[in-house]
Amino acid sequence: MGNRISLWVGPVIVGVYAAVMVMTIAVWDPEAAVPGLRYQQIVAGLGEAGVDIFGSVVNLIVWGFVGLVLALVLSILGLTGRVGLVPVIMGHLLVIAGGAPVYFFGSFSLGIDVADTFAVSGGVHVPTGDALYAVSGVALVVLAVVGIRRAANRQPALV
């Protein structure tokens, strides 16, 4: 029973990561970058500047959904017994680690649009961006440590 529950932890984490990523890029960071305006005013200003905010947000949601689907497929493969628990967890960690480049590239275009439209500085303006990078970094470190340990356990000692 414990393994069955642990197979769903990955998709939950990926889902939360994706939701935070979308909210950070589409809402929280623009609000923090332009503190004198309400979100509706920021969206209106971007629209007047010719920015397709709806298309940008849909793209972010699609990328988040792709990560979630990958995590769900891994969990289903684990539940059916086609894949063991460790490879499923490693796959989940890989999806989470892959969130960092998705976040970076996903935030780049809209961040530039906000900066150009409102003459503000670019970059990350909210702590959730750093938190996303940290979560991805931890996942990558765990992947590396587990991978190295598994490889070391399979190699004969050099004596």
Side-chain angles (χ1 to χ4, degrees):
M1 181 67 166
N3 284 351
R4 294 178 73 82
I5 292 172
S6 63
L7 287 171
W8 295 111
V9 171
V12 168
I13 293 171
V14 170
V16 169
Y17 188 107
V20 170
M21 178 187 74
V22 170
M23 290 301 295
T24 297
I25 296 169
V27 180
W28 300 331
D29 199 68
E31 285 180 330
V34 190
L37 298 178
R38 291 188 331 260
Y39 182 70
Q40 293 80 4
Q41 294 171 310
I42 295 169
V43 170
L46 288 168
E48 290 171 11
V51 175
D52 179 16
I53 186 84
F54 179 77
S56 295
V57 172
V58 168
N59 285 336
L60 294 172
I61 292 169
V62 167
W63 278 108
F65 188 72
V66 167
L68 183 57
V69 167
L70 288 172
L72 287 169
V73 167
L74 287 165
S75 288
I76 290 168
L77 289 172
L79 286 169
T80 61
R82 294 181 184 265
V83 178
L85 180 62
V86 172
V88 170
I89 292 170
M90 297 288 279
H92 288 155
L93 289 168
L94 188 60
V95 172
I96 294 165
V102 171
Y103 170 70
F104 176 79
F105 289 112
S107 65
F108 199 78
S109 178
L110 190 56
I112 288 174
D113 290 335
V114 170
D116 289 348
T117 302
F118 298 100
V120 296
S121 67
V124 179
H125 300 90
V126 291
T128 52
D130 292 335
L132 291 171
Y133 285 133
V135 169
S136 290
V138 168
L140 190 59
V141 167
V142 171
L143 272 170
V145 168
V146 170
I148 290 168
R149 289 190 67 185
R150 288 177 61 99
N153 288 338
R154 292 187 181 145
Q155 301 297 322
L158 297 174
V159 179

